[in-house]
Amino acid sequence: MPPDAPPPASPLPDRPEPPRFPVNLAAPDLAPWQDGNAGIPGVHSFAAEEPGPHLLVMALVHGNEIAGAILLDRLLRTRPVPLRGRITLAFANFDAYARFTPEDPTASRFIDEDMNRVWDEATLAGPRKSSELKRARQLRPVIDQADVVLDLHSMLWPSDALILAGRSPRAAQLAAQIGVPPVVVADDGHAAGRRIIDYARFADADGIRAALLIEAGQHWEEATVATMEASFRRAARKLSLLPPARGEAALPRGRIAHVTRTVTATTCRFTFLREFRGGEVIPERNTLIALDGEAEIRTPHDNCLLVMPSPHTLRGHTAVRLAKFD
């Protein structure tokens, strides 16, 4: 190489270094809840004498999203008593959670694979093995019994809280009635696999059941726990499982936005042109927001809602969803 030639460019990593965000929550001791009371480890169920709907609240589908574990721990210490029907609380991925450490809080998302990408019949009933699939198969009976599922999640990157309703208009309407968080996103999921809210039992257009994914705010923040609790209590009251709260102010219906494009990174060089926050609305269509290698990513319509943009996106994973309000 000539002495004045520039040094060769370093190859871009296919797995970017994750960012560092402060951990402002203490991971609870879940040992008292390991056995459960419903015949499945980590699953606790409480029924009323009067029949009614079955609400399943799930936490720790991702082992590092500890806000949901904190909420379920609080609820179990006070023991929810439904007026009718049944409330079930389930810790999903104990094994991943056991690896959680504030020094490396993103490393415990899963053991072998993302538990929220395995919920199609071919995968659940197939021969493939992993820690997450084993647990999903173990949890499947209680999920099959539920009428409504609240799947509690949090987000790494700064973003407004929202509810994901998947493909089901029924789920989107329920989410809008709950109203916390106030933005409801109807989407087609991820190329990498089906989520719990995409599970056939809840996605069936002729069915009567619904599943919602609550993206309650950033990981490791107390405000995220508070949003999860508000969402749970409003859902339980909407289903008449818990009594009305005294003096609780009426909330407007949530706003429903439909995803018009799911942007999946096709290269390891996906880059946003600037820092975007989830929930940001881009006023003008055809605005350039990112590059995927040489390919331009532009907003397909005016007033385009950015749903959970991920600045560090692996090839084959969702970088952002673009949505339009009803």
Side-chain angles (χ1 to χ4, degrees), residues 1-67:
M1 183 175 67
D4 58 346
S10 299
L12 288 168
D14 200 40
R15 184 174 294 275
E17 181 69 21
R20 296 288 180 177
F21 291 108
V23 177
N24 295 320
L25 296 173
D29 177 11
L30 300 185
W33 319 123
Q34 289 271 353
D35 292 340
N37 71 353
I40 301 173
V43 177
H44 298 258
S45 198
F46 305 92
E49 292 185 3
E50 182 180 345
H54 181 181
L55 173 62
L56 169 62
V57 186
M58 298 185 66
L60 292 181
V61 167
H62 297 135
N64 66 323
E65 296 180 14
I66 66 174

Side-chain angles (χ1 to χ4, degrees), residues 265-276:
T266 61
T267 74
C268 61
R269 295 183 291 130
F270 191 99
T271 306
F272 286 98
L273 266 63
R274 65 170 175 85
E275 290 187 8
F276 289 103

Side-chain angles (χ1 to χ4, degrees):
M1 183 175 67
D4 58 346
S10 299
L12 288 168
D14 200 40
R15 184 174 294 275
E17 181 69 21
R20 296 288 180 177
F21 291 108
V23 177
N24 295 320
L25 296 173
D29 177 11
L30 300 185
W33 319 123
Q34 289 271 353
D35 292 340
N37 71 353
I40 301 173
V43 177
H44 298 258
S45 198
F46 305 92
E49 292 185 3
E50 182 180 345
H54 181 181
L55 173 62
L56 169 62
V57 186
M58 298 185 66
L60 292 181
V61 167
H62 297 135
N64 66 323
E65 296 180 14
I66 66 174
I70 291 171
L71 174 59
L72 264 57
D73 178 64
R74 290 178 184 174
L75 294 175
L76 285 167
R77 291 183 186 281
T78 57
R79 184 184 171 94
V81 181
L83 298 175
R84 65 174 189 144
R86 181 180 293 271
I87 295 174
T88 297
L89 309 176
F91 300 97
N93 201 338
F94 271 131
D95 290 345
Y97 178 73
R99 297 185 178 186
F100 179 79
T101 171
E103 289 70 37
D104 192 5
T106 62
S108 54
R109 181 175 171 87
F110 53 78
I111 300 295
D112 297 318
E113 63 177 318
D114 191 329
M115 187 185 281
N116 216 25
R117 302 291 184 271
V118 302
W119 293 91
D120 62 275
E121 181 64 30
T123 300
L124 290 168
R128 187 158 61 81
K129 296 181 180 180
S130 72
S131 176
E132 279 71 25
L133 261 174
K134 179 180 178 181
R135 181 60 170 161
R137 291 162 180 153
Q138 191 177 46
L139 289 169
R140 192 175 180 185
V142 71
I143 292 174
D144 282 341
Q145 295 168 10
D147 297 303
V148 175
V149 173
L150 294 185
D151 185 15
L152 303 179
H153 288 258
S154 54
M155 299 175 274
L156 178 62
W157 297 99
S159 178
D160 297 343
L162 55 86
I163 304 176
L164 293 174
R167 304 176 180 90
S168 168
R170 180 179 59 256
Q173 290 301 320
L174 174 61
Q177 292 167 9
I178 292 170
V180 179
V183 172
V184 180
V185 175
D187 74 328
D188 289 329
H190 299 275
R194 289 191 180 180
R195 305 159 298 185
I196 291 169
I197 62 172
D198 306 318
Y199 184 47
R201 179 178 177 84
F202 306 114
D204 182 0
D206 298 323
I208 60 172
R209 298 170 178 84
L212 304 174
L213 192 161
I214 312 297
E215 291 283 8
Q218 273 192 276
H219 299 331
W220 319 311
E221 296 291 342
E222 185 60 44
T224 301
V225 183
T227 297
M228 288 178 174
E229 181 166 9
S231 184
F232 157 69
R233 294 196 180 279
R234 291 189 66 88
R237 290 172 187 140
K238 173 65 183 173
L239 298 170
S240 300
L241 301 178
L242 294 180
R246 289 185 179 180
E248 183 178 65
L251 291 177
R253 282 176 56 89
R255 297 182 67 194
I256 299 176
H258 291 267
V259 169
T260 56
R261 182 182 178 189
T262 297
V263 179
T264 301
T266 61
T267 74
C268 61
R269 295 183 291 130
F270 191 99
T271 306
F272 286 98
L273 266 63
R274 65 170 175 85
E275 290 187 8
F276 289 103
R277 178 182 175 87
E280 186 171 345
V281 175
I282 307 301
E284 296 183 0
R285 74 176 293 274
N286 207 36
T287 299
L288 181 64
I289 60 171
L291 295 172
D292 189 1
E294 301 300 322
E296 295 184 345
I297 308 299
R298 293 180 177 270
T299 54
H301 44 74
D302 292 343
N303 299 318
C304 183
L305 175 69
L306 303 187
V307 180
M308 294 170 33
S310 178
H312 290 184
T313 304
L314 301 180
R315 182 171 47 206
H317 289 244
T318 301
V320 65
R321 279 157 281 186
L322 308 177
K324 187 175 185 178
F325 284 105
D326 286 351

